């Protein structure tokens, strides 16, 4: 399903819900989360593919390592499946039509229909030929032939990989026990850690001037990356910077959920007319979703979009940091350069030809400034990126906490890796607080999750508590994706679901410093105190309304709902 079709499905579902709710005006109790037998995510749009396996093979056993079913070559020449097994193991690999048998030489090797072509696409030795992989879906089974524990000729299934659709030019690989696609056009970066830096910490909507003042300070360059850019104030600063000789470049997502906003299109038209470089990012990212800017030798990283609701301070609770560090700035500039030159990234002037844009409302709230910005000297700054390393990096920081963890998120994947890490932390005695959004499009889902987590904590005696935020005129809705784990604060665009971590471009800064952690923990604590325990039970709607919500939220629950 395309992104636009996805949004349409949600709209239809919402209409059904409204019609039913008019007859039975009662809120819905979200259904408990259910397990899903997929490892690679299939939650949002056409480029994502489900992958399942027969289970995680033990270390040293025969297993499927990766597959490249749709290389960017004529007739898909060079497609392959990579397998690993101890030397001398007799193996067979089958797609249900053809079966290839071979003896494993040890280590990882590739099985390809065209060995010569595959040799140009993989560093693994190619040991056998065969298996034409279907782009529309395939199941590949790896068997051990006649091992010592079984009678000769009795094959044992060692591993199985199924995908429902390929992604062009992308490698399907198992990482950390789960399958995900990785574009061969993207370099894979590790978490990078940088030395001390002066930093300004702030929250929104309290300090909307901080992002603006950061842009205003530019003397040489501004590299601005976002999901959408629709703020006239931001456009003013970018145009002014260009006019005073600053090199200004902008990257935005090519297919925002619900369609490309007219307001954003007008802003980008204005930027291009003024001479600013604007490009829209398509594949291989599912969504280009970061919110950062490189301003000379400083890095501005936020949880908020470049729009009135976000950086304009008109609605969203968000976190942000300006880190004055040439090395951090250079690090993010490299990511910007990669995304700006991807094959599916296009100039705005080319992209907009013949396109229609959607009307959206602009947030116009007004909120008091309760939490002032603070300047600190941060001991260490780590740059975390999705899809490169964000999931494992964030989980490892949660797993390393030994005192307390505070998390602020619009919504989270109920049984995903991040929530599992929170439960592990609570199980070892770490105090865990999870504050979730209460906006209409996530409220019932979040209420059900908070109930489940609080019930689990009560039943086990573990120190975990979950609440729904109550804005109380201090902000309009939770949009922040923030974490404070002991003396480390995480600030960035990463939503707590596997789609965001494994498919999107996201950027997070990890600030390892007691002062930075204290600032964001105090901001979190203020919102926590104002919210109370918000997991009370509510009666459900009739089945038709429940089904409508399930269809709509299933489409958007792993995405950020953009006003």
């Amino acid at each position: 399903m395309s992104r636009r079709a996805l949004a349409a499905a949600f709209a239809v579902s919402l209409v059904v819900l409204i019609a039913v709710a008019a007859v039975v005006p009662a809120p819905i109790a979200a259904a408990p989360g259910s397990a899903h037998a997929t490892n690679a995510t299939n939650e949002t749009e056409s480029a994502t593919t489900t992958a399942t396996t027969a289970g995680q093979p033990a270390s040293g056993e025969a297993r499927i390592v990766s597959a490249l079913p749709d290389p960017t070559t004529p007739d898909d020449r060079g497609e392959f499946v990579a397998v690993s097994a101890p030397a001398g193991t007799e193996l067979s690999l089958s797609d249900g039509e053809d079966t290839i048998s071979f003896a494993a030489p040890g280590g990882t090797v590739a099985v390809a229909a065209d060995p010569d072509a595959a040799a140009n696409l993989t560093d693994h030795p190619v040991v056998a030929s065969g298996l034409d992989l279907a782009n529309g879906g395939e199941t590949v089974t790896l068997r051990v032939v006649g091992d010592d524990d079984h009678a000769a000729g009795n094959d044992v299934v060692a591993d199985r990989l199924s995908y429902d659709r390929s992604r062009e030019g992308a490698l399907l690989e198992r990482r950390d026990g789960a399958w995900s696609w990785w574009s061969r056009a993207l370099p894979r970066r590790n978490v990078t850690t940088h030395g001390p830096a002066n930093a300004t910490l702030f929250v929104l909507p309290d300090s909307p001037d901080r992002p603006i003042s950061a842009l205003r300070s530019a003397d040489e360059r501004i590299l601005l990356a976002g999901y959408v850019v629709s703020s006239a104030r931001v456009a003013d600063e970018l145009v002014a910077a260009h006019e005073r000789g600053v090199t200004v470049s902008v990257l935005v997502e090519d297919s925002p959920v619900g369609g490309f906003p007219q307001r954003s299109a007008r802003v980008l038209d204005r930027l291009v007319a003024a001479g600013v470089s604007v490009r829209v990012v398509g594949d291989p990212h599912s969504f280009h979703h970061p919110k950062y800017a490189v301003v000379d030798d400083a890095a501005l990283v936020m949880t908020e979009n470049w729009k009135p609701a976000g950086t304009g301070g008109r609605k969203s609770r968000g976190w942000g940091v300006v880190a004055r560090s040439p090395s951090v700035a250079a690090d993010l500039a490299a990511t910007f350069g990669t995304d700006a030159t991807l094959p599916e990234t296009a100039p705005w002037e080319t992209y907009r030809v013949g396109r229609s844009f959607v009307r959206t409302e602009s947030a116009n709230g007004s909120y008091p400034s309760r939490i002032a910005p603070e300047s600190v000297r941060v001991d260490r700054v780590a740059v975390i990126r999705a899809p490169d390393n964000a999931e494992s990096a964030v989980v490892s920081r949660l797993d390393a906490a030994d005192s307390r963890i505070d998390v602020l998120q619009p919504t989270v994947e109920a049984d995903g890796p991040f929530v599992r890490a929170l439960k592990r932390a609570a199980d070892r005695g770490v105090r865990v607080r999870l504050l979730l959004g209460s906006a209409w499009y996530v409220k019932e889902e979040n209420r059900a999750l908070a109930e489940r987590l609080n019930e689990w904590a009560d039943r086990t005696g573990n120190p975990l508590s979950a609440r729904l935020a109550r804005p109380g005129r201090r902000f309009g809705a939770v949009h922040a994706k923030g974490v404070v784990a002991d003396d480390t604060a995480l600030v960035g665009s990463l939503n707590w679901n596997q789609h965001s971590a494994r498919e999107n471009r996201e950027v997070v800064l990890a600030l390892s410093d007691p002062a930075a952690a204290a600032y964001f923990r105090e901001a979190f604590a203020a919102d926590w105190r104002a919210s109370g325990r918000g997991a009370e039970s509510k009666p459900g709607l009739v089945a038709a309304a429940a089904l409508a919500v399930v269809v709509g939220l299933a489409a958007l629950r792993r995405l950020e709902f953009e006003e």
Side-chain angles (χ1 to χ4, degrees), residues 311-337:
T311 55
R314 295 296 186 179
K315 182 177 180 179
S316 300
R317 166 62 82 220
W319 293 3
V321 56
V322 180
R324 296 169 186 85
S325 165
S327 60
V328 173
D331 204 341
L332 287 181
T335 295
F336 188 98

Side-chain angles (χ1 to χ4, degrees), residues 104-118:
T108 301
V109 296
V111 177
D114 187 332
D116 291 336

Side-chain angles (χ1 to χ4, degrees), residues 16-274:
V16 174
L17 170 61
I18 292 171
V20 175
V23 179
V24 186
I28 297 174
S34 57
H36 196 277
T38 63
N39 287 325
T41 320
N42 183 28
E43 296 164 343
T44 54
E45 47 81 43
S46 59
T48 308
T49 301
T50 303
T52 63
T53 66
Q56 176 69 14
S59 177
E61 294 183 355
R63 62 175 180 167
I64 299 173
V65 174
S66 62
L68 181 66
D70 189 9
T72 53
T73 56
D75 301 321
D76 290 342
R77 289 197 295 269
E79 59 188 17
F80 65 84
V81 177
V83 302
S84 177
T89 307
E90 292 292 332
L91 301 172
S92 71
L93 195 65
S94 174
D95 62 0
E97 297 178 356
D98 299 311
T99 300
I100 307 301
S101 298
F102 59 98
T108 301
V109 296
V111 177
D114 187 332
D116 291 336
N120 295 321
L121 301 175
T122 178
D123 294 330
H124 304 312
V126 183
V127 298
S129 62
L131 297 186
D132 292 320
L133 301 175
N135 292 344
E138 192 72 271
T139 297
V140 180
T141 303
L142 178 68
R143 292 180 172 87
V144 176
V145 181
D147 68 355
D148 294 339
D149 296 327
H150 299 81
N154 186 15
D155 298 349
V156 177
V157 174
D159 203 2
R160 179 177 290 116
L161 170 63
S162 295
Y163 60 89
D164 57 16
R165 187 165 12 159
S166 65
R167 287 180 59 173
E168 186 178 14
L171 189 69
L172 181 57
E173 57 185 352
R174 191 186 338 236
R175 302 187 73 214
D176 300 324
W179 288 93
S180 60
W181 293 101
W182 187 268
S183 172
R184 298 181 68 253
L186 274 178
R188 191 192 299 279
R189 292 185 170 92
N190 295 321
V191 175
T192 50
T193 302
H194 306 269
N198 294 323
T200 300
L201 317 177
F202 62 94
V203 299
L204 293 164
D206 302 58
S207 301
D209 288 337
R210 287 295 157 170
I212 297 300
S213 62
L215 299 178
R216 189 173 297 156
S217 69
D219 292 322
E220 296 179 357
R221 65 174 176 178
I222 296 176
L223 308 176
L224 187 144
Y227 181 67
V228 293
V229 177
S230 60
S231 167
R233 291 185 71 200
V234 170
D236 289 344
E237 296 302 329
L238 296 180
V239 170
H242 173 76
E243 289 177 347
R244 65 177 181 266
V246 176
T247 300
V248 182
S249 298
V250 174
L251 288 180
V252 297
E253 163 62 28
D254 74 341
S255 298
V257 174
F260 207 102
Q262 285 182 354
R263 185 180 301 273
S264 180
R266 289 195 295 269
V267 165
L268 300 184
D269 282 343
R270 178 188 170 197
L271 293 178
V272 169

